[in-house]
mmCIF file of all heavy atoms in Angstrom:
data_model
loop_
_atom_site.group_PDB
_atom_site.id
_atom_site.type_symbol
_atom_site.label_atom_id
_atom_site.label_comp_id
_atom_site.label_asym_id
_atom_site.label_seq_id
_atom_site.Cartn_x
_atom_site.Cartn_y
_atom_site.Cartn_z
ATOM 1 N N SER A 415 19.681 -88.190 72.469
ATOM 2 C CA SER A 415 20.196 -89.249 73.381
ATOM 3 C C SER A 415 21.546 -89.816 72.921
ATOM 4 O O SER A 415 22.184 -90.436 73.680
ATOM 5 C CB SER A 415 19.132 -90.371 73.444
ATOM 6 O OG SER A 415 19.149 -91.086 72.232
ATOM 7 N N GLY A 416 21.931 -89.534 71.591
ATOM 8 C CA GLY A 416 23.165 -90.067 71.104
ATOM 9 C C GLY A 416 23.048 -91.460 70.528
ATOM 10 O O GLY A 416 24.045 -92.025 70.176
ATOM 11 N N TYR A 417 21.807 -91.844 70.410
ATOM 12 C CA TYR A 417 21.653 -93.383 69.862
ATOM 13 C C TYR A 417 22.160 -93.368 68.450
ATOM 14 O O TYR A 417 22.849 -94.396 68.195
ATOM 15 C CB TYR A 417 20.172 -93.705 69.952
ATOM 16 C CG TYR A 417 19.856 -94.980 69.216
ATOM 17 C CD1 TYR A 417 20.164 -96.150 69.693
ATOM 18 C CD2 TYR A 417 19.260 -95.011 67.930
ATOM 19 C CE1 TYR A 417 19.882 -97.446 69.054
ATOM 20 C CE2 TYR A 417 18.976 -96.159 67.298
ATOM 21 C CZ TYR A 417 19.304 -97.279 67.855
ATOM 22 O OH TYR A 417 18.962 -98.549 67.175
ATOM 23 N N ILE A 418 21.713 -92.501 67.568
ATOM 24 C CA ILE A 418 22.218 -92.616 66.187
ATOM 25 C C ILE A 418 23.681 -92.471 66.153
ATOM 26 O O ILE A 418 24.293 -93.133 65.287
ATOM 27 C CB ILE A 418 21.563 -91.520 65.434
ATOM 28 C CG1 ILE A 418 19.920 -91.635 65.402
ATOM 29 C CG2 ILE A 418 21.997 -91.434 63.850
ATOM 30 C CD1 ILE A 418 19.510 -92.948 64.683
ATOM 31 N N GLN A 419 24.292 -91.488 66.804
ATOM 32 C CA GLN A 419 25.719 -91.238 66.826
ATOM 33 C C GLN A 419 26.445 -92.534 67.210
ATOM 34 O O GLN A 419 27.537 -92.874 66.594
ATOM 35 C CB GLN A 419 26.160 -90.198 67.655
ATOM 36 C CG GLN A 419 25.561 -88.778 67.256
ATOM 37 C CD GLN A 419 24.101 -88.427 67.787
ATOM 38 O OE1 GLN A 419 23.323 -89.298 68.153
ATOM 39 N NE2 GLN A 419 23.874 -87.215 68.180
ATOM 40 N N GLN A 420 25.938 -93.238 68.236
ATOM 41 C CA GLN A 420 26.655 -94.464 68.668
ATOM 42 C C GLN A 420 26.525 -95.579 67.565
ATOM 43 O O GLN A 420 27.632 -96.230 67.365
ATOM 44 C CB GLN A 420 25.935 -94.974 69.918
ATOM 45 C CG GLN A 420 26.496 -96.191 70.548
ATOM 46 C CD GLN A 420 27.856 -95.996 71.072
ATOM 47 O OE1 GLN A 420 28.190 -95.096 71.659
ATOM 48 N NE2 GLN A 420 28.705 -96.982 70.746
ATOM 49 N N ARG A 421 25.430 -95.656 66.861
ATOM 50 C CA ARG A 421 25.263 -96.701 65.918
ATOM 51 C C ARG A 421 26.240 -96.450 64.758
ATOM 52 O O ARG A 421 26.812 -97.238 64.192
ATOM 53 C CB ARG A 421 23.886 -96.719 65.356
ATOM 54 C CG ARG A 421 22.786 -97.137 66.458
ATOM 55 C CD ARG A 421 22.739 -98.653 66.693
ATOM 56 N NE ARG A 421 22.504 -99.409 65.543
ATOM 57 C CZ ARG A 421 22.612 -100.692 65.457
ATOM 58 N NH1 ARG A 421 23.220 -101.349 66.415
ATOM 59 N NH2 ARG A 421 22.199 -101.412 64.277
ATOM 60 N N ILE A 422 26.288 -95.071 64.312
ATOM 61 C CA ILE A 422 27.209 -94.814 63.148
ATOM 62 C C ILE A 422 28.645 -95.009 63.512
ATOM 63 O O ILE A 422 29.427 -95.525 62.849
ATOM 64 C CB ILE A 422 27.065 -93.301 62.907
ATOM 65 C CG1 ILE A 422 25.654 -93.117 62.184
ATOM 66 C CG2 ILE A 422 28.002 -92.907 61.814
ATOM 67 C CD1 ILE A 422 25.162 -91.680 61.965
ATOM 68 N N ALA A 423 29.057 -94.702 64.766
ATOM 69 C CA ALA A 423 30.374 -94.948 65.262
ATOM 70 C C ALA A 423 30.726 -96.379 65.262
ATOM 71 O O ALA A 423 31.816 -96.783 64.801
ATOM 72 C CB ALA A 423 30.591 -94.399 66.650
ATOM 73 N N GLU A 424 29.874 -97.245 65.668
ATOM 74 C CA GLU A 424 29.994 -98.692 65.593
ATOM 75 C C GLU A 424 30.186 -99.181 64.182
ATOM 76 O O GLU A 424 31.031 -100.020 63.842
ATOM 77 C CB GLU A 424 28.777 -99.335 66.276
ATOM 78 C CG GLU A 424 28.717 -99.211 67.792
ATOM 79 C CD GLU A 424 27.371 -99.637 68.282
ATOM 80 O OE1 GLU A 424 26.504 -100.266 67.462
ATOM 81 O OE2 GLU A 424 27.208 -99.655 69.557
ATOM 82 N N ARG A 425 29.235 -98.615 63.214
ATOM 83 C CA ARG A 425 29.527 -99.079 61.824
ATOM 84 C C ARG A 425 30.888 -98.615 61.245
ATOM 85 O O ARG A 425 31.431 -99.396 60.459
ATOM 86 C CB ARG A 425 28.289 -98.412 61.074
ATOM 87 C CG ARG A 425 26.967 -99.186 61.392
ATOM 88 C CD ARG A 425 26.893 -100.510 60.739
ATOM 89 N NE ARG A 425 25.684 -101.078 60.915
ATOM 90 C CZ ARG A 425 25.271 -102.050 61.904
ATOM 91 N NH1 ARG A 425 26.267 -102.345 62.681
ATOM 92 N NH2 ARG A 425 24.052 -102.412 61.982
ATOM 93 N N ALA A 426 31.245 -97.461 61.532
ATOM 94 C CA ALA A 426 32.492 -96.932 61.017
ATOM 95 C C ALA A 426 33.697 -97.844 61.551
ATOM 96 O O ALA A 426 34.579 -98.047 60.811
ATOM 97 C CB ALA A 426 32.653 -95.464 61.410
ATOM 98 N N SER A 427 33.554 -98.251 62.748
ATOM 99 C CA SER A 427 34.584 -99.068 63.401
ATOM 100 C C SER A 427 34.556 -100.417 62.636
ATOM 101 O O SER A 427 35.677 -100.905 62.299
ATOM 102 C CB SER A 427 34.387 -99.168 64.886
ATOM 103 O OG SER A 427 35.334 -100.014 65.463
ATOM 104 N N GLU A 428 33.429 -100.977 62.349
ATOM 105 C CA GLU A 428 33.314 -102.227 61.730
ATOM 106 C C GLU A 428 33.920 -102.139 60.322
ATOM 107 O O GLU A 428 34.645 -103.023 59.901
ATOM 108 C CB GLU A 428 31.861 -102.639 61.662
ATOM 109 C CG GLU A 428 31.223 -103.142 62.932
ATOM 110 C CD GLU A 428 29.788 -103.188 62.861
ATOM 111 O OE1 GLU A 428 29.145 -103.134 61.797
ATOM 112 O OE2 GLU A 428 29.076 -103.383 63.936
ATOM 113 N N HIS A 429 33.743 -101.059 59.684
ATOM 114 C CA HIS A 429 34.135 -100.789 58.238
ATOM 115 C C HIS A 429 35.730 -100.844 58.276
ATOM 116 O O HIS A 429 36.484 -101.471 57.540
ATOM 117 C CB HIS A 429 33.639 -99.566 57.587
ATOM 118 C CG HIS A 429 34.316 -99.157 56.364
ATOM 119 N ND1 HIS A 429 33.912 -99.767 55.113
ATOM 120 C CD2 HIS A 429 35.178 -98.304 56.058
ATOM 121 C CE1 HIS A 429 34.677 -99.330 54.174
ATOM 122 N NE2 HIS A 429 35.359 -98.405 54.615
ATOM 123 N N GLU A 430 36.239 -100.010 59.138
ATOM 124 C CA GLU A 430 37.740 -99.931 59.366
ATOM 125 C C GLU A 430 38.324 -101.275 59.579
ATOM 126 O O GLU A 430 39.492 -101.604 59.132
ATOM 127 C CB GLU A 430 38.160 -98.917 60.381
ATOM 128 C CG GLU A 430 37.818 -97.521 60.090
ATOM 129 C CD GLU A 430 38.436 -97.035 58.766
ATOM 130 O OE1 GLU A 430 39.621 -97.464 58.397
ATOM 131 O OE2 GLU A 430 37.693 -96.440 57.906
ATOM 132 N N ARG A 431 37.746 -102.153 60.544
ATOM 133 C CA ARG A 431 38.274 -103.362 60.853
ATOM 134 C C ARG A 431 38.214 -104.278 59.501
ATOM 135 O O ARG A 431 39.130 -105.042 59.277
ATOM 136 C CB ARG A 431 37.558 -104.036 62.008
ATOM 137 C CG ARG A 431 37.908 -103.448 63.352
ATOM 138 C CD ARG A 431 37.380 -104.404 64.373
ATOM 139 N NE ARG A 431 35.970 -104.700 64.419
ATOM 140 C CZ ARG A 431 35.071 -103.889 65.075
ATOM 141 N NH1 ARG A 431 35.572 -102.916 65.775
ATOM 142 N NH2 ARG A 431 33.863 -104.185 65.061
ATOM 143 N N ALA A 432 37.114 -104.227 58.813
ATOM 144 C CA ALA A 432 36.941 -105.038 57.585
ATOM 145 C C ALA A 432 38.046 -104.644 56.521
ATOM 146 O O ALA A 432 38.616 -105.533 55.863
ATOM 147 C CB ALA A 432 35.523 -104.869 57.026
ATOM 148 N N VAL A 433 38.328 -103.379 56.425
ATOM 149 C CA VAL A 433 39.367 -102.907 55.431
ATOM 150 C C VAL A 433 40.738 -103.385 55.916
ATOM 151 O O VAL A 433 41.518 -103.826 55.195
ATOM 152 C CB VAL A 433 39.274 -101.386 55.234
ATOM 153 C CG1 VAL A 433 40.402 -100.881 54.419
ATOM 154 C CG2 VAL A 433 37.952 -101.029 54.646
ATOM 155 N N GLY A 434 40.924 -103.165 57.196
ATOM 156 C CA GLY A 434 42.258 -103.556 57.817
ATOM 157 C C GLY A 434 42.546 -105.013 57.643
ATOM 158 O O GLY A 434 43.693 -105.387 57.373
ATOM 159 N N SER A 435 41.524 -105.864 57.718
ATOM 160 C CA SER A 435 41.792 -107.254 57.719
ATOM 161 C C SER A 435 41.747 -107.685 56.227
ATOM 162 O O SER A 435 42.091 -108.906 55.960
ATOM 163 C CB SER A 435 40.636 -108.001 58.523
ATOM 164 O OG SER A 435 39.378 -107.858 57.766
ATOM 165 N N GLY A 436 41.222 -106.982 55.295
ATOM 166 C CA GLY A 436 41.246 -107.359 53.878
ATOM 167 C C GLY A 436 39.899 -108.051 53.615
ATOM 168 O O GLY A 436 39.575 -108.348 52.406
ATOM 169 N N GLU A 437 38.980 -108.126 54.602
ATOM 170 C CA GLU A 437 37.706 -108.770 54.305
ATOM 171 C C GLU A 437 36.948 -107.983 53.252
ATOM 172 O O GLU A 437 36.206 -108.433 52.392
ATOM 173 C CB GLU A 437 36.916 -108.827 55.598
ATOM 174 C CG GLU A 437 35.508 -109.392 55.474
ATOM 175 C CD GLU A 437 34.699 -109.248 56.763
ATOM 176 O OE1 GLU A 437 35.371 -108.996 57.848
ATOM 177 O OE2 GLU A 437 33.484 -109.499 56.666
ATOM 178 N N ARG A 438 36.966 -106.597 53.321
ATOM 179 C CA ARG A 438 36.430 -105.681 52.363
ATOM 180 C C ARG A 438 37.589 -105.202 51.446
ATOM 181 O O ARG A 438 38.526 -104.461 51.945
ATOM 182 C CB ARG A 438 35.833 -104.458 53.115
ATOM 183 C CG ARG A 438 35.168 -103.515 52.039
ATOM 184 C CD ARG A 438 34.050 -102.698 52.741
ATOM 185 N NE ARG A 438 33.015 -103.597 53.244
ATOM 186 C CZ ARG A 438 32.045 -103.190 54.128
ATOM 187 N NH1 ARG A 438 32.160 -102.065 54.694
ATOM 188 N NH2 ARG A 438 31.076 -104.028 54.485
ATOM 189 N N VAL A 439 37.471 -105.612 50.245
ATOM 190 C CA VAL A 439 38.499 -105.301 49.298
ATOM 191 C C VAL A 439 38.291 -103.850 48.748
ATOM 192 O O VAL A 439 37.244 -103.442 48.350
ATOM 193 C CB VAL A 439 38.450 -106.266 48.119
ATOM 194 C CG1 VAL A 439 39.486 -105.974 47.047
ATOM 195 C CG2 VAL A 439 38.804 -107.613 48.593
ATOM 196 N N ILE A 440 39.451 -103.109 48.800
ATOM 197 C CA ILE A 440 39.462 -101.854 48.139
ATOM 198 C C ILE A 440 40.795 -101.861 47.230
ATOM 199 O O ILE A 440 41.773 -101.832 47.733
ATOM 200 C CB ILE A 440 39.501 -100.577 49.164
ATOM 201 C CG1 ILE A 440 38.292 -100.676 50.051
ATOM 202 C CG2 ILE A 440 39.634 -99.279 48.361
ATOM 203 C CD1 ILE A 440 38.295 -99.656 51.070
ATOM 204 N N VAL A 441 40.465 -101.862 45.930
ATOM 205 C CA VAL A 441 41.565 -102.136 44.967
ATOM 206 C C VAL A 441 42.475 -100.856 45.078
ATOM 207 O O VAL A 441 42.145 -99.734 45.123
ATOM 208 C CB VAL A 441 40.912 -102.192 43.569
ATOM 209 C CG1 VAL A 441 42.075 -102.207 42.486
ATOM 210 C CG2 VAL A 441 40.101 -103.429 43.397
ATOM 211 N N GLY A 442 43.710 -101.318 45.055
ATOM 212 C CA GLY A 442 44.838 -100.157 45.193
ATOM 213 C C GLY A 442 45.030 -99.679 46.538
ATOM 214 O O GLY A 442 46.110 -99.035 46.848
ATOM 215 N N VAL A 443 44.235 -100.199 47.670
ATOM 216 C CA VAL A 443 44.482 -99.848 48.987
ATOM 217 C C VAL A 443 44.866 -101.128 49.783
ATOM 218 O O VAL A 443 45.972 -101.135 50.391
ATOM 219 C CB VAL A 443 43.218 -99.225 49.541
ATOM 220 C CG1 VAL A 443 43.356 -99.052 51.044
ATOM 221 C CG2 VAL A 443 42.863 -97.992 48.831
#
Side-chain angles (χ1 to χ4, degrees):
S415 70
Y417 170 74
I418 298 296
Q419 295 91 325
Q420 180 66 42
R421 295 289 293 172
I422 291 173
E424 291 170 357
R425 287 287 184 261
S427 178
E428 291 169 5
H429 173 79
E430 291 303 319
R431 284 198 299 270
V433 172
S435 68
E437 177 186 352
R438 178 158 297 163
V439 175
I440 302 179
V441 173
V443 176

